[in-house]
């Protein structure tokens, strides 16, 4: 089976700084792949390259065999490669349900004028988006907070709302930016199960994360970046036992990751 996503010799330079240096890996359909590495290793730049928020200096990203590098980010998102952000896409003054409804805009069939004039197609869109939002919130177990204003949500629910917003775009690949950041243990474990459920829904998941217990628990495979270069790739067990990774990132006796 061909990979759904291919990162080929990806390099990004900012003047004399090389943020990502000749990175290559493949992602299989319905896989959970995590990208880890020390602060400043190039993980965020790599995500920006994959989602086409920045253009590579060299190399390319292929989605289902088609080059997406250099395309406009919203075109890449319409194709099915969607990146979530930590909180910047959430409207804090809106309810949870309203946030998810608004996030369906990539799937709109009506024109902008249609929405202004209340055309039949616009009304159909609004009804379909409301049904879809309710289905997504039910799937993620967020029904009970659907009418809660987003500014009142605790960290765990904010992260879950971010995932709901991502699902509203009907992604094929979902790129999650630190989905477990700022959570306590119980919130993290609930979100781990939530992300697994998203994968079971048929969505391929890539995530950047610093929470090593969560990464080791959730990942099918892990790619490790250090100083912009890929230094390792493999299963959680292989990564835990990789001497380069231990030296660069994990530490030789880090009980927190289960070694």
């Amino acid at each position: 089976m061909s990979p759904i996503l291919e990162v080929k010799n990806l390099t990004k330079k900012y003047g004399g700084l090389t943020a990502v240096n000749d990175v290559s890996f493949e992602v299989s359909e319905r896989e959970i792949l995590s990208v880890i590495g020390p602060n400043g290793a190039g993980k965020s730049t790599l995500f920006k390259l994959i989602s086409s928020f920045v253009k590579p200096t060299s190399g390319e990203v292929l989605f289902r065999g088609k080059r997406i590098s250099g395309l406009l980010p919203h075109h890449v998102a319409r194709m099915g490669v969607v990146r979530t952000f930590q909180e910047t896409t959430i409207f804090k003054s809106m309810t949870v349900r309203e946030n998810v409804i608004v996030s369906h805009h990539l799937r709109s069939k009506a024109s902008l004028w249609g929405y202004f004039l209340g055309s039949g197609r616009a009304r159909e869109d609004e009804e379909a988006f409301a049904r879809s939002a309710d289905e997504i919130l039910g799937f993620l177990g967020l029904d009970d907070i659907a009418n809660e204003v987003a500014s009142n949500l605790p960290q765990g629910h904010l992260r879950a709302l971010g995932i709901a917003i991502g699902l509203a775009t009907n992604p094929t690949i979902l790129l999650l930016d630190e989905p477990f950041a700022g959570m306590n243990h119980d919130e993290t474990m609930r979100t781990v199960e939530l992300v697994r459920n998203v994968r079971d829904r048929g969505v391929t998941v890539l995530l950047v994360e610093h929470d090593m217990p969560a990464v080791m628990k959730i990942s099918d495979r892990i790619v490790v970046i250090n100083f912009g270069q890929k230094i390792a790739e493999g299963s959680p067990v292989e990564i835990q036992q990789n001497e380069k990774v231990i030296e660069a990132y994990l530490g030789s006796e880090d009980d927190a990751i289960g070694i």
Side-chain angles (χ1 to χ4, degrees), residues 19-37:
V20 174
N21 189 5
D22 197 32
V23 171
S24 298
F25 60 88
E26 297 179 349
V27 185
S28 299
E29 194 165 0
R30 298 183 69 165
E31 181 177 34
I32 298 177
L33 185 141
S34 297
V35 178
I36 68 171

Side-chain angles (χ1 to χ4, degrees), residues 30 32 139-141 163 167 190-203 205 218:
R30 298 183 69 165
I32 298 177
F139 169 74
L140 296 178
I163 293 172
L167 287 180
R190 282 197 296 269
T191 307
V192 163
E193 291 306 311
L194 185 152
V195 174
R196 282 177 174 160
N197 290 340
V198 168
R199 185 269 304 279
D200 293 343
R201 187 183 175 98
V203 179
V205 178
I218 198 173

Side-chain angles (χ1 to χ4, degrees), residues 74-137:
H74 67 276
H75 289 167
V76 173
R78 281 184 182 274
M79 293 171 68
V81 181
V82 177
R83 179 189 175 195
T84 68
F85 298 84
Q86 290 191 22
E87 289 183 27
T88 54
T89 55
I90 294 173
F91 295 99
K92 294 292 186 71
S93 62
M94 290 184 177
T95 68
V96 168
R97 185 173 185 267
E98 288 168 343
N99 265 280
V100 180
I101 290 174
V102 167
S103 302
H104 284 77
H105 69 279
L106 281 176
R107 298 160 63 178
S108 298
K109 296 178 181 177
S111 66
L112 184 60
W113 277 111
Y115 281 101
F116 277 128
L117 299 174
S119 69
R121 177 164 288 183
R123 290 194 297 273
E124 289 175 3
D125 276 352
E126 290 171 354
E127 292 171 0
F129 296 164
R131 289 194 300 270
S132 176
D134 290 338
E135 188 273 329
I136 290 169
L137 292 175

Side-chain angles (χ1 to χ4, degrees), residues 140-176:
L140 296 178
L142 300 177
D143 320 60
D144 293 343
I145 62 166
N147 295 316
E148 187 72 48
V149 176
S151 60
N152 296 334
L153 298 179
Q155 192 69 17
H157 281 152
L158 274 175
R159 289 289 187 266
L161 175 55
I163 293 172
I165 287 170
L167 287 180
T169 66
N170 195 28
T172 302
I173 300 178
L174 191 60
L175 284 72
L176 301 178

